[in-house]
Amino acid sequence: MKKHIGIIGFYGILLLTSACASQSPTASTQTGIASSKTKSGEASRNEHHVFQQDLSSFRPKFKDQDDASQVVNSAKASKIVFDNRDVPLYINKRLDPILDTIASQNKNIKFANGFRIQIYVGNDRKSADDAKVYTYQTYPEIFPYLTFQQPVYKVKVGDFLNRMDAERYFASIKETYPSALILPDKVEIKKGMFVK
């Protein structure tokens, strides 16, 4: 209980000392105080601090900005007209070899992250071959892939670059192979472009 009284007393003293603090503005040379009249005619004092000191000498000055304005002014004064239709820009000469190297590197990229539908997982080679034949007959535009990791055969179909393409085939494949799954996989880009 004594502890609570001590805390209340401390806050009371803090409140009294803050109430006695000066309320006058400290920078009267740099600020202006505006007064206005209310509707009843009595003057009320609204403090609006307006900064009146000129700080333009402290603002940064950039050489490029001054040079750019001089270049623009000199171009306006001379009024030179360039015809760029016949002369290629110098940047194109430097940029073309870089774009050619990027294009040749992109031609070497054959695989990308995509999706395949796994239609069969099991130990029976004949069932795996049947799933592969089913894919060839029903969906000739997508390619089946048979992998064997002893003792399991897996048949995955398609080279889908995005999941939406895989979803279109997934519904009809799921009717024949209820255990089918859409799995992320590395796919061939060229084959993925031909999937409708």
Side-chain angles (χ1 to χ4, degrees):
M1 186 71 175
K2 290 180 182 179
K3 185 177 180 181
H4 293 294
I5 293 172
I7 292 173
I8 293 171
F10 173 74
Y11 284 120
I13 293 171
L14 185 65
L15 181 64
L16 286 174
T17 56
S18 65
C20 294
S22 173
Q23 298 288 334
S24 65
T26 57
S28 62
T29 59
Q30 295 178 357
T31 60
I33 300 174
S35 65
S36 63
K37 292 193 173 192
T38 60
K39 289 183 180 178
S40 63
E42 54 194 45
S44 68
R45 192 170 174 186
N46 294 332
E47 293 183 5
H48 296 286
H49 299 289
V50 180
F51 200 74
Q52 297 175 353
Q53 193 175 19
D54 183 26
L55 296 177
S56 62
S57 62
F58 297 107
R59 291 185 183 139
K61 295 179 182 175
F62 300 104
K63 292 179 182 178
D64 295 340
Q65 189 176 19
D66 296 336
D67 294 341
S69 64
Q70 290 174 358
V71 169
V72 169
N73 291 337
S74 65
K76 286 180 181 178
S78 62
K79 293 185 180 180
I80 300 172
V81 178
F82 292 104
D83 187 15
N84 292 332
R85 288 178 284 171
D86 297 332
V87 181
L89 298 174
Y90 72 94
I91 193 90
N92 289 346
K93 291 179 183 177
R94 291 176 32 202
L95 190 61
D96 285 340
I98 295 171
L99 291 175
D100 290 339
T101 57
I102 291 172
S104 65
Q105 289 174 353
N106 286 345
K107 285 181 183 177
N108 294 334
I109 297 173
K110 296 183 180 183
F111 295 96
N113 292 331
F115 297 92
R116 288 197 174 132
I117 301 172
Q118 179 176 289
I119 60 173
Y120 177 77
V121 176
N123 299 356
D124 188 20
R125 171 68 186 227
K126 185 178 182 317
S127 298
D129 287 336
D130 290 343
K132 196 173 170 182
V133 169
Y134 165 79
T135 305
Y136 278 129
Q137 291 174 349
T138 312
Y139 309 103
E141 67 274 5
I142 59 176
F143 299 95
Y145 297 95
L146 175 67
T147 58
F148 176 69
Q149 290 179 345
Q150 192 169 354
V152 178
Y153 292 95
K154 292 182 183 178
V155 178
K156 296 179 184 177
V157 297
D159 291 288
F160 305 106
L161 295 175
N162 55 35
R163 190 173 177 97
M164 292 296 290
D165 294 337
E167 291 285 343
R168 285 189 216 127
Y169 289 95
F170 181 68
S172 60
I173 290 174
K174 189 94 170 154
E175 293 172 0
T176 309
Y177 292 96
S179 63
L181 297 170
I182 297 176
L183 300 174
D185 204 348
K186 292 278 186 190
V187 298
E188 291 185 43
I189 295 173
K190 286 184 180 179
K191 290 181 181 178
M193 299 296 271
F194 294 120
V195 174
K196 296 176 185 176

